[in-house]
Amino acid sequence: MASGDSHPQDLESPDDDFHPTTTHHPSYSNQFPQYSRPLIDSARNAWQYKAPKNPQHASSSPADDIKSLEWPQMALLVAFAPRFRHMLIYGALFIFAWIGWRMLLSPQLQVQNSLLHSPPHANGLVQIRTLDPNLVPVDMARVDQGETSRKRLIFVGDVHGCKDELVQLLEKVSFNQKDGDHLIFVGDMINKGPDSKGVVDLARENSASSVRGNHEDRILLLRQEMVNTQTLTTPDEGRYSGFSSRELAERALARSLSEEQAQWLENCPMILNVGQIPGMGQVVVVHAGLVPGIDLEKQDASSVMTMRTIDSDTHVPSPKKKGMNWAKMFDKHQSKLYFSLETSEDPFSNTMTVVYGHDASTSLSIRTFTKGLDSGCVTGGKLTALVIEDGGKQSIVQVSCHGYFKG
């Protein structure tokens, strides 16, 4: 019969080098076709022979395949990439570090800097002065025993050059230095009003005490600048000088002060430590305020003259009105201290009371441990005096004022 020859044309091969044998042998090994080359050489990737469905994409590159991805797929690919995850981690760490710096470290450094370092212009100023103890009122037991004469302290709010109103106020409280009265100003004796020099002269004539207010500071610094630039004795050219009306008025005031008047103002301390007064503890006078819990020696000189509020978290003082009123915070701080010492013989002896001015917007503000006396005299409000007598008795006396200045 016909031989068992196989026909090569019946075998479809993708390669001309693929030649199966055509002879069958009775042995088991001959039951399968024999190949002249290794089988691995006949392996081909299917994609090489799979015809593209769209002829236009027959020669697409890997870049084209990436472009064909939808944006959500692309976003997932990027999101799951290891390098991208590392960038996210580093970015998150940077953000947390920045927030920690802004919210925690930076405010704390500001507190330390503001409380431990005075501004450059404050280096030559008197930081603290203690009042003569012989001027301080005593407890009534000593008065009854005849150990001392009558003593009163007359604290006066921001005068701002309103001499006439000051004279009226002193008459109303029956001020008499020879009888044991001592006059203390809370700063801002000058500027804005009609007779700043007259106020300074009256204070000097009555051996008064005062602290340095922000307006004394402003005028004295301006005066020193005019001395340095040799313009103290040169009149300004009015509206053609380039200065505003307010600046011209302040320059005129700085120029009008005598050397004696300027020196008296220069000698006014930033903080006046009055001493212990019955029922008030340690009494301190400043123009603007104090940061609670900070020693007097470490208070920032500039803030003492300008603060109105304190940040409740960082305790950084600010001249702005937005925030926690410093006096409210200070009073709360001292109240807690008082109640913690209430079982002691004299809990007031370890507390502090601050007498201050500066904040006319809140007008007269009398709390247990803070006494705000600026009642807006120069703008048409009132001029206020806090009178403290032997035994710690306190009283408020006021006179009405003309409106000399529009803020």
Side-chain angles (χ1 to χ4, degrees), residues 78-79 81-95:
V78 173
R83 181 174 297 180
F84 181 77
R85 291 199 300 271
H86 293 162
M87 291 176 62
L88 283 179
I89 294 173
Y90 295 146
L93 291 175
F94 174 80
I95 292 174

Side-chain angles (χ1 to χ4, degrees), residues 117-128:
H117 299 88
S118 296
H121 81 270
N123 291 336
L125 302 184
V126 181
Q127 180 78 2
I128 304 175

Side-chain angles (χ1 to χ4, degrees), residues 250-284:
E250 291 179 343
R251 291 175 67 85
L253 173 57
R255 189 177 285 113
S256 69
L257 292 174
S258 66
E259 286 294 329
E260 293 77 12
Q261 291 169 335
Q263 189 59 52
W264 189 88
L265 292 172
E266 286 280 4
N267 289 333
C268 293
M270 316 296 291
I271 301 171
L272 179 63
N273 184 8
V274 174
Q276 290 283 334
I277 294 181
M280 299 181 72
Q282 182 184 4
V283 176
V284 174

Side-chain angles (χ1 to χ4, degrees), residues 2 4 16 29 33 65 69 110 191 216 243 299 330 369:
D16 293 336
S29 61
D65 293 337
L69 292 174
Q110 291 179 24
N191 205 12
E216 282 87 10
F243 297 109
Q299 295 283 339
F330 190 95
F369 297 101

